[in-house]
Amino acid sequence: MILSQLRRRRARALALATGILVAATSFTLLTSTVTTSQAQTTGLVQRNARSAYDVLVRPPGTDTAVERQRGLVQANFLSGVFGGITLDQYRRIKNMAGVQIAAPVANIGYLMVDGILRVDVSRFLDGTAPAQLLRLKPRLSAGLGNYPVADQYVYLTRNPIAVRDDLMAETGMTGLDQETAADGRKYWVCWYYNGDKSDTALGRDGKTLTPQAEPPYNPTPKSPYDADARARMTCQSGKGKATAEIPVAFPVLLSAVDPAAEDRLVGLGDAVTSGRMLTEEDRPVWAPDPWDDGPVSSRQHDYQVPVMLSSHTLTGGTLKATVERLDAGAPAALPAKLGSPAAHTFVNGLHGTTVGQVTADLDPAFQSANKAWNFNAGSYWTVGPVDYGTTAAGLAARTRPAQPSGVWQNGLGGSLRTDIPEENSGPQYRTVTNRPSTDCMAVRTCSGADSGRAPVPTLRPVGRYDTAKLRGFSALSDVPLETYRSPQATGADAASRTALGNQPMRPDRNLGGYLAPPPTLLTTLDSISAFTHSRHTPTAQEKAPVSAIRIRVAGVTGVDPASRARVNSVAGQIRAAYPQLHVEVTVGSSPAPQTIELPSHIRISENWAAKGVALRILRAVDTKSAVLFVLILVVCALFLAQAALASVRSRRTEIGTLRCVGWSASEVLRLILGELAVIGLVAGALGSLLAYALGALLGLRHSAAEAALVLPVALLLALAAGLLPAWRATRLGPLDAVTAPVTATRRATAVRSVPGLALRNLLRVRGRTLLGAAGLALGVAAFTVLLSLTLAFRGEVAGSLLGDAVIARARAADYLSVALSLLLGAAGAVDVLVLSQRERAADLAVLRATGWTNRELARLSLYEGLGLALLGGLTGAAAGLATVVTLGQGVLSGHLAGVAAATLLAIAAAVLLVCGALTIPIRSQSRIAPARVLAVD
């Protein structure tokens, strides 16, 4: 009976099979797409969840209000932190269960490293002159600033010049001995200009132009940026080759680390480019000064501290100089003029002719610092953190007044230093504190005013390292490695990028600047006291020198439950032992760009670290995938239910006849469900093949076994969808089933337009109208909910590099699910309208027989579709928005306007889909002759 019915009603069976095929295949493909997207996202997160360390421990009060409010770790989190954790606390944390690596960083302070920038000016020489002078007028470009630099001079002579003091030559303070053929005398050329600009120095007899034993060094500078005090002259002998040697000072942050822990954490040993790696055995040694050439027994002794220096500066800066050839008069007279106390006045007053420009990066000057005397530990500085305010666009860095001049003094109340980089005259964001040293020398323990303190140590370089050779970590989960990497920021808008020269903004040499350079000079933990105990005034660093501890937890592979439990266990132990310390779980963190506003309307984007991004992504992905699964299932099931209902309703007379000839209700139920089961099996078999082919084409994670799931899905969907219509069919009595339904008449109302008649038709059979609208409403509601969840998902995980990468991968599955839910809803509405047309075929034939044209009948059908689509679309939009609101958690936060606009577009799309799909049955209906329809009725 079942097979005969299917053969006799092939068109109906084929249509229903097609619907089951589309719904089952779509359901399988979509759920597979969601699963694949979820698996890809989970894999992406797991692969990029592990960074250099899993837990960060900072001193109390070092987390800022902005970090607490936004769940972030500041990009420059280590800057401005000088101590706060004791060595005993570090040792106890290091030995806690589950701690694989505990790497401390103890920031000591910024000290000056002196280098020489050598600039070739040979091409600007007069090749015929036996002696000549060049003047360089430089300007420094660093960060967002452009600063004037003191004039620099080059004296080139063909007569030989002998260096009288190698040490003075290294420091740029050399006196040079030149013998001239003119008078046979020797002159200390360059010494007076560089060493004594007072214009008053004479020899002991008051006549001989030889340097004094202890000459004054320049007049007292009026500021640390006194250009005249910084002006230098390079004196050379030769022909056609001249180099300006410009002294450049670099404030370098000295930090103490555990060498073994750093090597295990980031592979510091593999980054050594010269010399050797620091070891745990490296500690201060009481030894003779390295620059003392006297007998060992009489050499001055100091504490010598082993250090490693970066091979490149981590601060940016470019020097651009205009070169002038000076009108110095007769070349033969130059040695006497330069070897005179009046050399300063003479050289500065010379007229020059511009002959060109030269540009040089400051990094070669940093590379030249390789001797103990290049490091000055007499004074060092500590700096405070940046203070932020909030704006509509992000954060605003607050500036501070200029640093007081006492910050740049030599020792307590000493003269102003003149090696302070020019950038320190720029905008200030941090407080700078001078840590002057004791005044004692060559003794192990000071006496007098510094009683009990220690002398200033000297630094002994043992090696250099290249930060670019450190072990790499995923850019999506990178957390600040401030011990090694220079922070960078990019322009957040076109104007800011132009101001930055379309280059990233790097730290400069401004101690109070916004971007603080990371530690560039490393020593060991055993060396900390050599610096902190040599300060004239004790600091808190002596008791608690450690600034941060970076912890890598044993057994952690990502953000899986076991790894999270291990990390949380270690973090819990630290919090229990030291509740005052600030403990942050950084595993699963990701760079989160923050917009920072600087003065002059400069806006930069800086990579802070968002904590817990990976875990939030996985939770959001699981939630979104579950919602997608349920909504797709409901939409497919409702679509099939409408198709099955249409099939049963079209067989009303047939079912009634069967009941009249003695068929029981259960037999009718089995007949209908049996037909649906056969159709479902056939559609499922075809759907399995189709799903497998489409899955392979779309690159989904499909196998033959997964594609075969279409068969049981199709069967279950067919039976579930037909159960209610079949049960309703069995509830009809035999006579009711074979008798056409008659609607009770009401007061007649004149209908004077086609839209009015369409509205009357929709209202006449409200149940059918509501059924058709329900499918479309569910599609639009699903669209609204899915769109809101997608936007909320992106809002929850966006803002970090890992979140942005996840969003890019999850987008296709989201849009495919949204589009199909809307298409299936529209298809269900069209199915109901087609059923209505078939049941009213006689009515439509009468209208055509009484003079209605095909165009008017088409308009009638389109108006009915339009009304049904608007009813379903508006109802679905309202239901979807209500569902989203009930979900709470700020799902619509910041997205209400976008969701509302997209929902209106969904309603418009639903109307177009329904009306467009109706054109096919309308054309079919127009081909049927009215007489044929009326004769059948």
Side-chain angles (χ1 to χ4, degrees):
M1 180 65 179
I2 292 175
L3 294 178
S4 64
Q5 287 293 317
L6 292 177
R7 285 195 301 270
R8 191 165 59 86
R9 297 181 178 271
R10 288 188 296 271
R12 182 192 66 204
L14 181 61
L16 188 56
T18 302
I20 295 175
L21 173 66
V22 171
T25 305
S26 300
F27 172 75
T28 304
L29 284 177
L30 275 179
T31 53
S32 180
T33 301
V34 172
T35 303
T36 300
S37 175
Q38 183 182 17
Q40 290 176 343
T41 300
T42 302
L44 176 68
V45 171
Q46 292 286 5
R47 289 192 302 272
N48 294 279
R50 194 85 189 273
S51 54
Y53 49 92
D54 307 315
V55 178
L56 175 66
V57 182
R58 291 193 282 174
T62 51
D63 59 321
T64 65
V66 173
E67 290 177 311
R68 291 191 298 271
Q69 292 167 2
R70 304 192 180 192
L72 301 172
V73 176
Q74 187 176 334
N76 262 159
F77 78 89
L78 201 55
S79 65
V81 181
F82 291 84
I85 303 174
T86 67
L87 288 172
D88 287 340
Q89 289 174 327
Y90 155 65
R91 295 187 186 100
R92 181 176 175 185
I93 292 172
K94 177 182 178 181
N95 294 321
M96 286 182 176
V99 174
Q100 181 182 17
I101 304 172
V105 178
N107 290 337
I108 296 172
Y110 289 89
L111 50 81
M112 289 296 173
V113 173
D114 299 317
I116 297 294
L117 180 62
R118 293 177 172 85
V119 181
D120 189 353
V121 291
S122 304
R123 66 181 185 275
F124 306 114
L125 295 172
D126 181 353
T128 62
Q132 55 194 302
L133 280 170
L134 297 178
R135 177 189 289 135
L136 281 72
K137 302 183 74 64
R139 290 193 69 85
L140 174 68
S141 296
L144 290 168
N146 192 279
Y147 308 91
V149 178
D151 291 349
Q152 306 294 319
Y153 296 88
V154 177
Y155 169 56
L156 181 69
T157 176
R158 298 189 181 188
N159 293 326
I161 297 177
V163 178
R164 294 290 297 271
D165 189 334
D166 293 337
L167 172 61
M168 295 177 68
E170 289 288 346
T171 59
M173 291 295 297
T174 182
L176 299 176
D177 189 1
Q178 180 184 358
E179 183 174 351
T180 66
D183 53 13
R185 297 181 60 180
K186 294 183 178 180
Y187 295 95
W188 284 63
V189 294
C190 282
W191 187 90
Y192 284 101
Y193 191 89
N194 289 337
D196 187 352
K197 299 182 180 181
S198 63
D199 290 347
T200 59
L202 293 175
R204 293 181 182 275
D205 58 3
K207 297 178 181 179
T208 306
L209 299 179
T210 55
Q212 302 179 63
E214 296 181 359
Y217 172 71
N218 295 321
T220 301
K222 298 178 182 179
S223 83
Y225 315 109
D226 190 315
D228 190 46
R230 291 164 175 257
R232 294 288 180 270
M233 180 180 291
T234 304
C235 293
Q236 299 170 337
S237 61
K239 180 181 179 182
K241 183 71 175 179
T243 302
E245 297 182 347
I246 306 173
V248 180
F250 296 87
V252 171
L253 180 55
L254 171 66
S255 295
V257 298
D258 180 337
E262 293 300 322
D263 190 30
R264 294 171 61 200
L265 186 71
V266 294
L268 181 58
D270 296 331
V272 175
T273 56
S274 63
R276 64 171 177 84
M277 170 75 173
L278 286 170
T279 68
E280 294 179 336
E281 287 72 32
D282 283 322
R283 54 180 51 87
V285 177
W286 184 258
D289 285 341
W291 52 78
D292 193 337
D293 295 330
V296 175
S297 59
S298 62
R299 290 183 189 178
Q300 176 177 312
H301 282 55
D302 289 301
Y303 283 111
Q304 295 186 20
V305 178
V307 294
M308 280 184 67
L309 180 66
S310 170
S311 58
H312 298 279
T313 178
L314 299 185
T315 57
T318 302
L319 205 67
K320 186 174 183 179
T322 299
V323 182
E324 297 178 350
R325 188 180 298 148
L326 300 184
D327 302 329
L334 272 178
K337 293 178 180 179
L338 296 180
S340 161
H344 172 254
T345 302
F346 166 70
V347 171
N348 284 7
L350 291 176
H351 174 267
T353 301
T354 300
V355 291
Q357 287 186 332
V358 64
T359 302
D361 190 86
L362 297 186
D363 187 60
F366 185 82
Q367 297 180 41
S368 72
N370 53 15
K371 303 295 184 182
W373 50 76
N374 293 124
F375 302 86
N376 182 1
S379 286
Y380 63 72
W381 296 265
T382 57
V383 303
V386 175
D387 185 25
Y388 292 95
T390 57
T391 66
L395 301 172
R398 295 192 177 101
T399 57
R400 303 182 59 86
Q403 309 293 344
S405 59
V407 168
W408 311 119
Q409 288 180 338
N410 277 306
L412 288 174
S415 61
L416 289 176
R417 300 177 61 128
T418 57
D419 60 347
I420 306 303
E422 290 80 3
E423 297 96 309
N424 287 273
S425 62
Q428 300 295 298
Y429 299 89
R430 309 170 186 270
T431 57
V432 180
T433 304
N434 191 359
R435 304 294 182 184
S437 66
T438 56
D439 289 332
C440 61
M441 299 175 62
V443 294
R444 293 200 177 200
T445 304
C446 300
S447 59
D450 296 320
S451 178
R453 308 298 292 169
V456 180
T458 61
L459 275 63
R460 177 170 52 88
V462 300
R464 303 193 80 154
Y465 64 96
D466 185 357
T467 58
K469 294 185 177 182
L470 293 172
R471 184 180 304 144
F473 298 92
S474 170
L476 301 181
S477 60
D478 196 17
V479 291
L481 280 173
E482 293 198 343
T483 315
Y484 310 104
R485 294 180 183 170
S486 179
Q488 292 189 357
T490 56
D493 53 40
S496 300
R497 287 190 289 272
T498 301
L500 289 170
N502 293 315
Q503 297 292 325
M505 177 181 173
R506 296 173 56 196
D508 54 23
R509 299 177 299 160
N510 184 357
L511 285 177
Y514 176 72
L515 292 181
T520 311
L521 190 63
L522 305 179
T523 188
T524 60
L525 297 177
D526 290 334
S527 302
I528 295 175
S529 61
F531 295 94
T532 59
H533 199 52
S534 67
R535 298 306 98 186
H536 179 82
T537 303
T539 67
Q541 289 176 281
E542 288 192 64
K543 294 183 178 180
V546 178
S547 305
I549 305 173
R550 296 152 300 155
I551 296 173
R552 197 165 177 89
V553 179
V556 174
T557 58
V559 288
D560 55 279
S563 296
R564 296 202 303 268
R566 294 185 179 101
V567 173
N568 291 333
S569 174
V570 170
Q573 291 180 69
I574 300 172
R575 293 189 182 104
Y578 303 110
Q580 73 277 16
L581 296 181
H582 187 64
V583 182
E584 294 173 311
V585 174
T586 58
V587 64
S589 298
S590 178
Q594 301 295 305
T595 300
I596 315 294
E597 185 172 338
L598 302 179
S600 302
H601 305 290
I602 299 296
R603 298 170 68 241
I604 60 173
S605 178
E606 187 178 19
N607 273 349
W608 293 30
K611 296 179 291 186
V613 170
L615 186 58
R616 292 203 308 271
I617 289 174
L618 293 182
R619 288 174 177 170
V621 167
D622 291 342
T623 301
K624 184 169 67 68
S625 298
V627 172
L628 283 171
F629 183 88
V630 172
L631 286 177
I632 294 168
L633 179 61
V634 172
V635 170
C636 290
L638 184 59
F639 167 72
L640 289 179
Q642 291 170 333
L645 179 62
S647 176
V648 172
R649 288 179 64 87
S650 66
R651 300 173 59 190
R652 177 187 178 93
T653 303
E654 176 186 331
I655 293 171
T657 302
L658 293 175
R659 292 298 308 278
C660 288
V661 297
W663 281 53
S664 66
S666 61
E667 289 175 324
V668 172
L669 179 64
R670 290 198 303 270
L671 173 65
I672 295 174
L673 292 181
E675 291 181 12
L676 291 174
V678 173
I679 294 173
L681 287 173
V682 175
L686 295 175
S688 295
L689 298 175
L690 181 61
Y692 182 78
L694 290 176
L697 182 64
L698 297 175
L700 301 178
R701 297 178 57 180
H702 252 301
S703 66
E706 290 172 331
L709 290 176
V710 177
L711 183 60
V713 168
L715 180 60
L716 291 175
L717 285 176
L719 293 176
L723 186 61
L724 179 61
W727 177 80
R728 289 191 60 189
T730 63
R731 306 299 296 174
L732 291 174
L735 294 179
D736 294 331
V738 297
T739 304
V742 179
T743 303
T745 60
R746 300 178 183 177
R747 187 177 64 178
T749 302
V751 177
R752 295 184 173 85
S753 65
V754 175
L757 181 59
L759 178 61
R760 294 287 297 177
N761 287 336
L762 292 175
L763 294 177
R764 183 174 58 179
V765 189
R766 294 181 177 85
R768 181 189 305 144
T769 301
L770 293 177
L771 179 64
L776 192 59
L778 185 58
V780 174
F783 177 89
T784 304
V785 173
L786 290 174
L787 179 64
S788 301
L789 288 176
T790 300
L791 291 175
F793 167 74
R794 293 177 186 174
E796 184 175 355
V797 305
S800 66
L801 301 188
L802 182 58
D804 293 343
V806 167
I807 289 171
R809 293 200 173 193
R811 185 176 302 159
D814 296 342
Y815 288 155
L816 186 58
S817 301
V818 167
L820 188 60
S821 65
L822 194 59
L823 284 172
L824 290 178
V830 171
D831 198 21
V832 170
L833 288 172
V834 171
L835 174 62
S836 176
Q837 279 189 355
R838 288 178 180 175
E839 291 184 350
R840 294 186 295 114
D843 297 342
L844 297 176
V846 170
L847 291 175
R848 187 182 301 171
T850 57
W852 280 52
T853 65
N854 288 335
R855 178 173 295 182
E856 289 172 325
L857 290 175
R859 286 173 55 200
L860 176 64
S861 297
L862 288 176
Y863 283 141
E864 290 180 12
L866 177 63
L868 188 63
L870 287 176
L871 176 62
L874 293 175
T875 303
L881 290 174
T883 302
V884 171
V885 171
T886 58
L887 292 176
Q889 306 297 326
V891 174
L892 282 179
S893 177
H895 305 301
L896 180 58
V899 171
T903 303
L904 292 178
L905 289 177
I907 297 173
V911 171
L912 292 177
L913 286 172
V914 171
C915 294
L918 279 176
T919 58
I920 297 176
I922 288 174
R923 295 186 64 181
S924 300
Q925 189 71 24
S926 65
R927 297 191 182 100
I928 301 176
R932 178 183 173 187
V933 175
L934 293 175
V936 173
D937 191 62

